[in-house]
Each structure stands twice: as C-alpha cells, then as structure tokens.
C-alpha cells in the first residue's frame, strides 16, 4: 500500500508518477522548488547560475508563467487536479526508524516564501533530477560563469539569457544541448574546449559541431576566466603545455556533467552505493526503485520509473530486478579527466570552496581556516590507518571539518564533488574508498523566520528540557 | 606477545586525551575505534566547558580542566578555538527565573564566582538578548571551543608522539586472564596489552557486562544545528530558553536543546542518529532568545548520542579486578572535562593513582543501582522527552 504519496521533483518523471497516482485515486502531492526565489538561485543549487543572475528573474509572475509553459507535464497535472506545490522546498523528511520511534506517520518539511508546513504521508517518491557539476578554475567566481543546466534554464525556460559570446567547457550531451539552445537564440558560441582527445557526445556530434563552424579545442583546458567584475575573456591552454591563447567572450558555460541530486535520500539514511556511471553515490534500489527505506522510492532511471508506475497501478511490491541498465560511458572518468586537467593547468592557489574562500592547496594540505590565523604544528595526512580492508581510506567529513571546504552556505553543492576527486588524485586512492561527506537537513539554507515552528504545542513547550534542570528535579 | 602497553577503546575526546597523556608519559599506546576518529559525541557537542556548579562533587575536576584549557592550543600544537569569555544562564520567563534562582543556590556551594544579574545587566553582556530576558547567572570563568578541532588536536598531538589510531576496528570483547587485563578481540583478531582504557561512552556498559561489571549508563539522542555566519554577536557560552547557543569563530550560531530520545546500542556498531522536525522548535526558541537571529539562515542539523549515568556525573574508575583496567564516561559534559579526564585516566593506568580530584567519581557510588534502573527512571529506549 502506497497510501498518501509525496512526489518530490516535477521533472517529466515526477509529473508522470504524480499523474498516474492521482488517476488511480491515490492522494498525491507534487512538490518542486522551482521557480526559485532569486536568492535561492544564488546558492547554485540545483543549477549553477553563478554570480551573474539576470535581473529579469526578479519578476516572479513571468518566471512562474515561463515554468508552466515550459512543462506540459506539469500543466497536465495541474489540470487533472493534482495537489501541486511549486516554489516549495522540501527541506527535510522524518520517519520512525532505529533510535527514533516517536515521529509517528512519516512527514516531510515544506517551506515556501511565506512559511512552512509539515506534511504527513505514507510514501515518498524522490524524482529530484540532477544538478550542475562545475569544477574550479581561476576566476570561476566571476559573473558570466554558469553550469550547463543553469544555462539551458536561462535560455529556454526563463528566456532571460544575457550573454552574447559564450565559451563552452565540455562536449557531453549536456554541452551539445546547451549549444543548440544558444544557437537557436542567436547566441554566438566562440569555442568549445574539451580536455579529452575526442568529442564526448560522439562522432555525429563532432560532425555537427564542425558543420556549425564552431571551433573545438580537443586536449585543451580553461586556465582562467578573465575579467575584473565580470567575464571578459577566457585563457585556454593545451594540455601538452605547447600553447596558450585567449578567447574573447562574456560567458563561460561549464557543461561538463550533471550529478544526481542525492541529498534527500542520503540525509534520510537510505543505503547508498557508488555508481561510477553517474559519478555519484546513489541509493540502492530494487526493480521498482524502492530504497532500503520502506515506501521511499528513488526514480533512478526510466526503467525504475516504469516499474514504479506499474506498482502504482497495482503490481506487487518487490518485483524481481530486471537486467541492469546498459553501462554508459563513465561520468566519473570524464569528470576525473577534467579535474586533473584543471588542476594541472591552474595552480594550488585557485579557490576550491567559494563560500569559505579555501584554495585547492589549503584543502589538500588540511590548513586551518585563515580566520584562525594559526597553523598546524606538523604536516598531517588525511589517509586513515586501519587493518580492515573495508575501511574508508579518507573521510571527507574530516576534511570538511578541518578545512571548512563544503561547510559554507552552498552546503557543499558547488565544491564537494571536485573536493573528493582532488583527494583521490592527490592521495592515490579510489573515489569509492573515500567516505563521502554527510548530507544534512535542511536541504537548502532557509531563513530562520520562515522555518521556525509557529504552532508549537503546549506539550512541547512545557516539556522542553535542558539537562541541568532535570538534575535538579531529582 | 605484548604489542602495546596500553590499548584505548574509543577515539572520542576522552580516549584521545587519555592516549595523548599516556603516550606523553612514555607508554606505547594504541587507540581503537569502531568508526572514524571523533565521529560520535565528541564532534557533535556544543563545545562548552561546564564548571559543574550543578553537581559540586565534580566541580574540582572541571576546574582542573579549566586550567588546562587555557594552554591547550600550545600544549597540543593545533588550534582548538578555545574562547575564554565566561558563561551565562538567562531566564526568559518567570518559571525559568525561579529555576535559575534555585540553580544559583547550588552553584554557591562551589568556590567559583557566580553572580545573579537582572535583565538589563544581562543585555549589557549580550546586547542582542531579547528584551524579555528577566535576569540570570553569570560567571567570567569558563568558555567554549570547537569540538571537532579539539578532538582532532588531541589525535594529531598523539600521532606526533608516535601513537597509533586504528579506525574502523571495533572492539568486540575485552579480554582478561587471571584477574588481569589481557587485551581485546576485534574482527581482525586479538590484540594484547598490559593495560586497557575503556572510553567508549555508553558502549562501556555493553563491553563491561560480560566481565560481570555493571556500569549504569543510558544512551540518549540529542539534536543540534547551526546557522549561516552572522556578524560578531557575543562570545560567552550562553544557556537560556531551553537552548545552549554559542557563536563560533567563523560566526555561525551553534545550538542544541529540547526533547531527547533514550535509545539502545549494539556492541561495535555505529548508532543511527537521525534528526526530527524538532529542529523547527529549536529555531523558534533561538529567535525568541535573540530576535536578531531572524536574519540568519538554518544551515545544517545533526544529532549525537550522549551517555547518562543515574546521577548525571562523570565516572572515572580503576578496577582491582581485572587489574589494569580503567574506564571513564562523562554524562554529557565530557567535552569540557576531557583535558583533566585524560590526565586522570592515564595516571590511574600507569601509576594506579592520580593527582586529579576524582575521589567521588568512582563506580562505587552505583553499588545500589538496580539492574532495571533505566526502566525505573523512565530512561528506557523509546522514551521521549521525559
Ligand atoms: C548535541 C550534544 C551537545 C553536547 N554539548 C556538550 C557541551 O557543550 N560540553 C560538554 O562538555 N559536552 C557536551 N556534550 C557531551 C560530549 O560530547 C561528550 O560527553 C563527550 O564527547 C564524550 O566523549 P567520549 O570520548 O566519552 O565519547 P564519544 O565521543 O562518543 O566517543 C566514544 C567512542 O567510542 C567508540 N566506540 C564505541 N564502542 C566501541 C567499540 N566496541 N570498539 C571500539 N570503539 C568503540 C565510538 O565509535 C566513539 O568514537 C554534548 C553532546 C551532544 C551529543
């Protein structure tokens, strides 16, 4: 029994699932954080807009309208009467489990621009999609640098893209989608830079790019985004060190890869496994997408969504697992090649963590944060000693606590993935051998005034405890 | 074969402080932990040094710790973020004011200078404090530090002396033979030693039970959270309106308090520590306490497991049998106590006696605690906020 369903993420899959559940008479609520308030967009989650958000985004009505026009599936849900919550962040999910038996019925915390609500339910379907992966380079803080998903949203969804001359990093499908959108809106693609020695999206994509007469620099990397208040150019370097050259541009689209938005299942405590195909830890699921937590589903791929649709339509739970999806090219290898190239051509002084202003070198050297004005007495290594072969070799939480990288207001969304690959490259251990930094609620930073409980019961109020008080009652 | 002079079970701050002191005094020490270094309570604490005015029997030890805190950065060689700016208990309503007045009475049984102040005097100390603050207690003594950095400072300083920490190596059993400690059993086999320090927080009870020893400790899950950084607001260790709130050196407001849940543990297993929707109530109280916090953002929450003894005091005990075994646990204020506990435990291990004031803190005080004390106390697993 799925009971009352909450679907998080109004992607095509999320909408399909919500609609299917609604049409068989299930009580379902569909939640999506888009359209985001401009302040939330500036946290670069899930899409990396960078520091140069067009002011047209301040017009809430027009961006809400754009969102609907851009999503026929969402409109369909709306017309069918599904309970839809847009501009709503699901910031936490709470349920009974080990060492926590007083929550009662599962519940999620929702917050809008006006306030917050706790919503009870029985089943949770996580269709949170992907976010941008944007690794560091000199000048990546400048307005004009953005991720592929953010670029496509500005171009197609909100139609407020302000760049005229764009340099694109990466040649994956994501990059190609961005380029097509940009060209169709009359935006010039100055050049495409690719660290590898072929176009990642394949031969046809390479041919298409050459038909468009877009210069593709294979075996090259971006050394620096140039500009003082915004991007005015890009300095590129060949990986063999033979040449550098400057390109004139006002934008740099970092369209290397996207990564799954795993913060909700991870923070809920779903069992996770590493999947190099998507370069991320992902929930372990059965054929219907059910995670290790009962009635919590992860819409991992079309196959899991189809099976889950059947479950919604009455199929038995726990259908036997089908064949694994065909292995795609490893996103991990592609990301690693890029990070390795960027770290080779840029130096250790490049900022890795924008929120806390920590450089790559300070991070890998476990330097205390600059505001402490102190150093370590002796150099230390993050590599762990253990007899156990299953033991993680490095613990990313430890690196986070000591250096503050990934501890800032973006909650690590910008830097944590690069940080882990950087550790893997420098200390020579597999990404999988690094214990990932934990994800924690809230999934987005939220104004205290919005999230504070405003309907606290007398019971909680009167029984609120502090240790010293209890001592004195005895 | 004796590989180590001392094995310390638990790489929390108590185990690490003990290991550091023992290695410094010349022993060959190995620290074992079921998980990563300081991944449990010791990195999840608020970070206060409590002077234990509420339990005067432990106050002398807390005051020894206080002296050690003042030079801990230099001693260890790694920053702890120790901030010695005093401590405040604020009352936001009449009920709290009455409670603080009686607490003040207990505090006066110690030799620590505490003062009772009115609301205006409190707001002079912490200008952002709510106009509703009616008064409270203040001492210029004590302070707070960063739990993660401090625990790691002990770990690094221990490593610098040649000590070894093995992570992800749970101790499944304490081994004793002929009335003496022999070593421990781990999934990788036995490890032998002359002496054993048991600093596994509430897991102490589970590991001691097979030896026929009753160490009454109840594990309890507490929730904590942190906001985005704010401009400097106050430096004292603040308690009031049911919360502990401190501002970190980075500027984040770090707080904990409120309903807690009693739990059960398994030997060698990392306990689940989920958060609940109660974080919203913590935030509501934070705003009531310091209205300026409305301007901050909720950034991150977590929970931690604390070990509670029936009288909520520190325990440090050296066993006659098995000889060579010492155990310690601090009932939820072990972070501040750790520098002194580390010395006491290492001295008890190496010299059988210590200069630290631990006379009233041995397990002997629990001789008459019934085996089902948790149920009688209403502290059994699943009980919430009682
Ligand atoms: C939210 C919160 C706020 C707090 N605030 C404060 C405060 O302000 N001031 C203060 O003084 N204290 C505070 N405390 C309490 C303080 O954190 C603890 O008292 C202190 O950290 C205890 O240290 P420890 O080394 O005994 O325990 P822990 O840090 O829990 O370490 C015990 C270690 O033993 C290991 N272990 C357990 N079983 C085994 C086994 N079988 N084999 C190997 N290893 C094992 C565990 O993995 C763990 O690492 C707070 C605690 C919490 C949770």
């Amino acid at each position: 029994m799925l009971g009352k369903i909450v679907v998080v993420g109004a992607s095509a899959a999320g909408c399909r699932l919500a609609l299917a559940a609604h049409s068989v008479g299930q009580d379902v609520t569909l939640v999506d954080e888009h359209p985001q308030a401009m302040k939330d967009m500036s946290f670069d989650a899930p899409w990396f807009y960078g520091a140069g958000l067009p002011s047209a985004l301040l017009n809430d009505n027009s961006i809400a309208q754009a969102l609907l026009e851009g999503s026929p599936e969402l409109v369909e849900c709306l017309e069918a009467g599904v309970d839809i919550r847009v501009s709503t962040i699901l910031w936490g999910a709470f349920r009974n489990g080990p060492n926590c038996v007083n929550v009662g019925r599962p519940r999620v915390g929702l917050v809008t621009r006006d306030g917050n609500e706790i919503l009870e339910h029985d089943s949770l379907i996580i269709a949170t999609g992907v976010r941008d992966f944007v690794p560091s380079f000199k000048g990546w803080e400048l307005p004009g640098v953005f991720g592929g998903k953010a670029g496509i949203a500005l171009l197609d969804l909100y139609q407020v893209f302000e760049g005229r001359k764009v340099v694109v990093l990466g040649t994956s499908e994501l990059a190609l989608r961005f380029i097509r959108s940009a060209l169709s809106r009359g935006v010039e693609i100055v050049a495409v830079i690719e660290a590898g020695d072929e176009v990642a999206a394949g031969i046809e994509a390479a041919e298409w790019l050459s038909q468009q007469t877009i210069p593709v620099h294979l075996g090259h990397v971006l050394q620096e985004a140039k500009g003082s208040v915004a991007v005015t150019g890009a300095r590129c370097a060949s990986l063999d060190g033979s040449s550098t050259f400057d390109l004139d541009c006002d934008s740099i689209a970092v369209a290397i890869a996207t990564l799954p938005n795993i913060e909700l299942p991870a923070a809920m405590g779903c069992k996770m496994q590493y999947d190099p195909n998507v370069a991320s830890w992902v929930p372990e699921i059965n054929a219907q997408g059910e995670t290790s937590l009962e009635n919590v589903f992860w819409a991992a791929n079309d196959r899991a969504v189809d099976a889950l649709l059947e479950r919604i339509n009455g199929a038995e739970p726990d259908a036997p697992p089908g064949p694994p999806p065909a292995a795609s090219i490893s996103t991990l290898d592609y990301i690693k090649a890029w990070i390795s190239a960027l770290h080779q051509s840029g130096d250790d002084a490049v900022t890795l963590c924008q929120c806390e202003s920590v450089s790559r070198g300070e991070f890998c050297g476990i330097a205390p944060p600059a505001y402490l004005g102190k150093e370590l007495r002796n150099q230390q290594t993050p590599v762990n000693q253990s007899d156990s072969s299953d033991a993680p070799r490095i613990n990313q939480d430890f690196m986070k606590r000591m250096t503050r990288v990934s501890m800032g207001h973006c909650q690590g969304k910008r830097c944590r993935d690069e940080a882990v690959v950087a550790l893997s490259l420098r200390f020579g251990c597999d990404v999988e051998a690094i214990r990932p930094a934990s994800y924690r609620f809230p999934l987005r930073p939220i104004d205290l005034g919005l999230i504070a409980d405003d309907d606290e019961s007398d019971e909680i109020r009167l029984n609120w405890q502090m240790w010293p008080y209890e001592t004195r009652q005895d | 074969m004796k590989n180590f002079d001392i094995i310390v079970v638990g790489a929390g701050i108590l185990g690490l402080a003990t290991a550091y002191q023992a290695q410094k005094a010349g022993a060959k020490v190995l620290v074992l932990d079921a998980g990563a270094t300081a991944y449990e309570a010791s990195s999840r604490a608020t970070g206060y040094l409590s002077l234990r005015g509420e339990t005067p029997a432990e106050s002398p030890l807390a005051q020894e710790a206080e002296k050690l805190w003042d030079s801990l950065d230099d001693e260890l060689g790694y920053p702890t973020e120790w901030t010695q700016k005093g401590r405040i208990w604020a009352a936001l309503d009449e009920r709290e004011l009455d409670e603080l007045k009686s607490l003040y009475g207990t505090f006066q049984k110690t030799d620590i200078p505490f003062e009772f102040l009115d609301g205006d005097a409190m707001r002079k100390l912490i200008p952002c404090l709510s106009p509703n603050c009616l008064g409270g207690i203040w001492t210029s003594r004590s302070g707070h530090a960063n739990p993660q950095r401090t625990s790691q400072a002990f770990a690094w300083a221990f490593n610098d002396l040649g000590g070894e920490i093995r992570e992800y190596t749970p101790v499944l059993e304490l081994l004793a033979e002929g009335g003496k400690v022999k070593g421990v059993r781990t999934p990788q086999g036995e490890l032998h030693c002359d002496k054993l320090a048991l600093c596994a927080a509430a897991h102490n009870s589970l590991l001691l039970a097979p030896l026929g020893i009753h160490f009454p400790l109840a594990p309890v899950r507490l929730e904590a959270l942190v906001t985005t950084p704010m401009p400097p607001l106050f430096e004292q260790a603040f308690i009031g309106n049911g919360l502990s709130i401190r501002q970190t050196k980075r500027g984040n407001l770090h707080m904990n308090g409120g309903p807690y849940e009693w739990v059960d543990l398994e030997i060698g297993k990392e306990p689940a520590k989920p958060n609940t929707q109660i974080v919203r109530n913590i935030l509501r109280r934070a705003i009531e306490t310091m209205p300026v916090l409305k301007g901050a953002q909720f950034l991150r929450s977590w929970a931690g497991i604390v070990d509670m003894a029936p009288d909520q005091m520190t325990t440090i005990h050296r066993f006659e049998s098995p000889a060579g075994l010492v155990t310690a646990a601090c009932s939820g204020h072990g972070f501040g106590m750790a520098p002194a506990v580390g010395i006491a435990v290492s001295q008890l291990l190496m010299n059988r006696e210590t200069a630290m004031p631990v006379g009233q803190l041995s397990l002997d005080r629990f001789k008459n605690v019934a085996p089902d004390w948790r149920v009688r106390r209403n502290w059994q697993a699943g009980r919430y906020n009682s």
Side-chain angles (χ1 to χ4, degrees):
Chain A
M1 263 298 290
L2 296 173
K4 157 92 197 179
I5 301 174
V6 170
V7 179
V8 206
S11 58
C15 290
R16 255 174 86 207
L17 290 162
L19 196 61
H22 181 77
S23 61
V24 296
Q26 300 272 76
D27 180 1
V28 52
T29 298
L30 175 63
V31 182
D32 199 290
E33 63 189 321
H34 293 99
Q36 296 170 289
M38 201 144 144
K39 187 173 86 196
D40 294 332
M41 295 171 106
S42 73
F43 290 130
D44 292 328
W47 304 334
F48 190 110
Y49 292 98
L53 281 163
S55 55
L57 290 170
L58 281 172
N59 187 335
D60 290 339
N61 289 338
S62 74
I63 73 165
Q65 191 57 37
L67 185 88
L68 281 179
E69 282 167 10
S71 173
E73 296 92 350
L74 188 60
V75 172
E76 214 181 324
C77 287
L78 200 64
E79 285 168 354
V82 176
D83 175 26
I84 297 178
R85 315 289 183 89
V86 288
S87 290
T88 301
I89 294 167
L90 188 151
W91 62 270
F94 312 104
R95 48 173 23 226
N96 283 350
N99 294 342
C100 182
V101 298
N102 292 285
V103 174
R105 201 171 168 206
R107 49 194 71 201
V108 288
L110 305 180
V111 61
T112 67
R113 291 176 217 182
D114 305 316
N116 84 84
E117 180 192 349
I118 295 284
L119 186 66
E120 293 190 5
H121 61 277
D122 303 299
S123 299
L124 181 62
I125 297 176
I126 306 172
T128 42
V130 295
R131 63 200 165 89
D132 279 313
F133 164 72
V134 178
S136 67
F137 45 81
K138 191 170 177 200
W140 73 306
E141 309 91 329
L142 287 172
V145 174
F146 52 81
K149 284 287 277 185
I152 293 167
L154 293 175
L155 281 162
D156 291 349
L157 188 57
Y158 302 129
Q159 303 183 18
V160 296
F161 190 76
E162 289 179 339
R164 302 312 319 158
K165 293 155 79 82
V166 188
V167 167
V168 178
L169 307 194
T171 57
S172 62
E173 278 303 331
L174 173 72
L176 270 289
R177 270 180 58 208
F178 172 79
I179 293 167
R180 281 190 212 103
S181 294
L183 292 181
S184 75
R185 293 184 194 275
V187 176
E188 182 191 347
I189 302 297
V190 177
V192 175
I193 300 175
E194 170 54 52
D197 48 21
E198 56 189 22
V199 169
I203 297 171
E204 280 173 28
E207 278 167 7
W208 181 80
L209 284 167
S210 82
Q211 281 160 17
Q212 310 302 313
T213 64
I214 295 172
V216 179
H217 302 284
L218 299 174
H220 279 70
V221 69
L222 183 81
Q223 206 170 48
E224 180 181 351
K226 307 197 70 156
S228 49
V229 291
V231 171
T232 56
R235 168 156 298 176
C236 305
S238 65
L239 278 174
D240 61 14
S242 62
S243 70
T244 55
F245 55 91
D246 286 346
L247 295 166
D248 182 27
C249 64
D250 57 26
S251 314
I252 296 174
V254 186
I256 295 171
T258 55
L259 298 170
N261 281 315
I262 57 164
E263 55 266 57
L264 176 55
M268 287 180 78
C270 292
K271 231 176 169 184
M272 308 290 278
Q273 63 188 5
Y274 194 77
D275 180 358
N277 289 328
V278 295
S280 178
W281 293 84
V282 290
E284 281 181 29
I285 51 171
N286 71 11
Q288 291 165 337
E290 191 164 12
T291 66
S292 63
L293 301 180
E294 199 185 344
N295 282 354
V296 175
F297 298 87
W298 169 247
N301 49 45
D302 291 345
R303 213 165 50 88
V305 170
D306 288 341
L308 181 50
L309 280 169
E310 283 173 29
R311 169 101 168 248
I312 289 170
N313 289 320
E316 289 295 303
D318 263 328
S328 48
I329 57 151
S330 156
T331 306
L332 176 61
D333 289 343
Y334 189 59
I335 280 181
K336 259 190 157 165
W338 264 103
I339 291 175
S340 157
L342 287 164
H343 284 225
Q344 181 193 323
S345 69
D347 59 21
D348 263 5
V350 170
T351 301
L352 172 61
C353 173
Q354 289 191 23
C355 301
E356 300 288 320
S357 305
V358 184
S359 72
R360 295 168 178 168
E362 288 164 333
F363 173 67
C364 291
I366 330 180
Y371 59 81
L372 289 182
K374 296 209 174 177
E375 291 180 5
L376 306 183
R377 180 173 284 168
N378 295 304
Q379 187 55 47
Q380 301 291 339
T381 163
V383 181
N384 151 61
Q385 311 167 25
S386 172
D387 287 347
S388 158
S389 53
D390 306 332
R393 299 224 23 236
I394 298 180
N395 186 332
Q396 196 184 359
D397 267 326
F398 158 81
M399 292 302 286
K400 176 173 144 184
R401 292 164 175 187
M402 291 305 111
T403 64
R404 298 196 67 81
V405 165
S406 306
M407 261 206 172
H409 57 257
C410 87
Q411 298 170 312
K413 278 157 196 118
R414 287 191 283 230
C415 61
R416 58 182 289 150
D417 302 285
E418 178 181 358
V420 98
V421 172
L423 292 172
S424 150
L425 291 170
R426 295 218 187 184
F427 294 98
C429 63
D430 287 347
V431 167
E432 288 156 87
I434 298 175
R435 178 174 171 150
S438 50
Y439 284 95
R440 308 244 191 237
F441 300 133
L443 303 179
R444 301 282 183 267
I446 300 167
D447 290 350
L448 252 56
L450 276 181
I451 196 171
D453 186 12
D454 56 4
D455 52 5
E456 187 171 89
S457 66
D458 286 350
E459 197 192 338
I460 291 183
R461 178 128 290 246
L462 293 172
N463 291 328
W464 192 271
Q465 293 281 358
M466 279 295 291
W467 289 111
Y469 300 161
E470 196 188 29
T471 311
R472 283 171 302 114
Q473 284 162 11
D474 291 313
Chain B
M1 189 183 75
K2 295 274 180 284
N3 301 319
F4 299 93
D5 299 327
I6 298 175
I7 289 179
V8 176
V9 185
I13 195 165
L14 295 188
L16 294 166
T18 297
Y20 168 75
Q21 294 296 347
Q23 185 85 18
K24 189 177 162 195
K28 186 176 178 210
V29 182
L30 172 70
V31 179
L32 300 177
D33 199 287
T37 302
Y39 212 69
E40 292 296 337
S42 296
S43 59
R44 295 162 191 267
T46 308
Y48 291 1
L49 163 64
S50 168
L51 294 170
R52 304 313 297 159
E54 47 276 74
T55 48
E58 356 167 54
S59 189
L61 188 65
Q63 294 187 59
E64 290 297 329
E66 186 186 23
K67 286 183 217 152
L68 295 161
W69 270 108
D70 283 333
S71 55
L72 202 58
D73 275 33
D74 290 339
E75 166 79 24
L76 301 177
Y78 301 92
T80 64
E81 302 188 23
W82 173 240
T83 305
Q84 202 285 302
K85 296 286 180 183
R87 183 161 168 144
I88 280 182
W89 290 256
L92 269 79
D93 57 33
E94 291 292 344
R95 179 177 114 167
E96 251 188 334
L97 194 68
D98 288 343
E99 285 173 337
L100 284 186
K101 279 179 183 154
S102 89
L103 187 62
Y104 183 60
T106 320
F107 280 12
Q108 282 174 311
K109 292 179 197 148
T110 68
D111 49 5
I112 303 160
F114 290 103
E115 273 178 71
F116 208 94
L117 305 178
D118 65 17
D120 287 336
M122 295 287 278
R123 276 178 292 274
K124 267 218 182 83
L125 289 168
I126 300 187
C128 67
L129 197 52
S130 158
N132 295 335
C133 173
L134 301 174
I137 309 171
W138 140 252
T139 174
S140 64
R141 298 266 299 272
S142 187
H144 56 87
N146 177 329
Q148 302 167 346
R149 290 212 83 89
T150 307
S151 302
Q152 194 58 45
F154 274 110
W156 278 334
F158 170 60
N159 288 151
D160 286 349
L161 295 172
E164 182 186 343
I165 303 171
R166 277 188 215 163
E167 301 185 315
Y168 305 97
T169 309
V171 169
L172 304 175
E173 189 185 356
L174 307 181
L175 304 173
E177 212 171 67
K180 268 185 66 347
V181 154
K182 183 179 165 204
V184 296
R185 186 168 63 81
T186 76
Q188 282 81 40
E190 291 190 1
L191 289 162
H192 294 163
C193 59
D194 290 325
K195 293 175 176 138
L196 203 53
L198 183 58
C199 300
H203 287 91
N204 288 354
S205 316
L206 304 178
L207 288 164
L208 287 169
L211 299 176
I213 298 165
H214 183 43
F215 188 163
L217 290 172
V220 58
R221 176 177 58 80
L222 309 182
E223 304 196 33
L225 60 89
V226 74
T227 71
T228 48
M230 293 281 278
L233 295 171
F234 61 98
E235 292 184 290
Q236 301 89 343
F238 175 89
I239 290 187
N241 199 23
L243 299 178
S244 305
I245 311 178
R246 78 178 173 104
Q247 188 168 29
T248 67
K249 287 249 194 279
R250 173 68 177 91
N252 311 69
L253 279 298
H254 182 153
M255 58 193 83
N256 95 291
Y260 42 79
E261 182 162 330
W262 300 96
V263 302
D264 272 338
L265 305 176
E266 279 178 80
I267 286 186
K269 291 248 169 71
E270 179 178 343
K273 296 169 286 284
N275 280 102
T276 70
Q277 67 276 13
I278 210 71
V279 290
R280 291 190 316 151
N281 305 73
I282 296 180
L283 291 167
R284 173 198 167 116
R285 278 172 184 266
I287 296 172
E288 284 170 5
T289 314
M290 297 176 188
V292 64
L293 296 189
K294 246 189 240 152
Q297 289 183 309
F298 176 26
L299 188 60
R300 192 163 45 243
S301 59
W302 65 92
I305 308 270
V306 156
D307 47 281
M308 271 302 146
D311 58 5
Q312 302 190 21
M313 294 208 308
T314 293
T315 300
I316 298 177
H317 188 92
R318 183 179 68 79
F319 295 89
E320 291 298 338
S321 176
L325 178 64
V326 177
T327 189
C330 286
S331 290
H333 43 275
F335 175 74
M337 286 286 200
V341 174
I343 292 178
V345 175
S346 78
Q347 288 179 345
L348 286 171
L349 279 169
M350 296 177 73
N351 317 328
R352 298 170 53 88
E353 56 185 22
T354 175
M356 287 287 152
V358 300
Q360 299 182 71
L361 304 179
S362 87
L363 271 179
D364 298 341
R365 68 186 197 272
F366 300 128
K367 280 223 169 80
N368 298 323
V369 170
D372 65 344
W373 70 281
R374 285 184 67 181
V375 178
R376 293 185 190 204
R377 189 67 185 262
N378 229 347
W379 283 9
Q380 72 272 37
R383 289 292 311 173
Y384 189 54
N385 196 23
S386 59

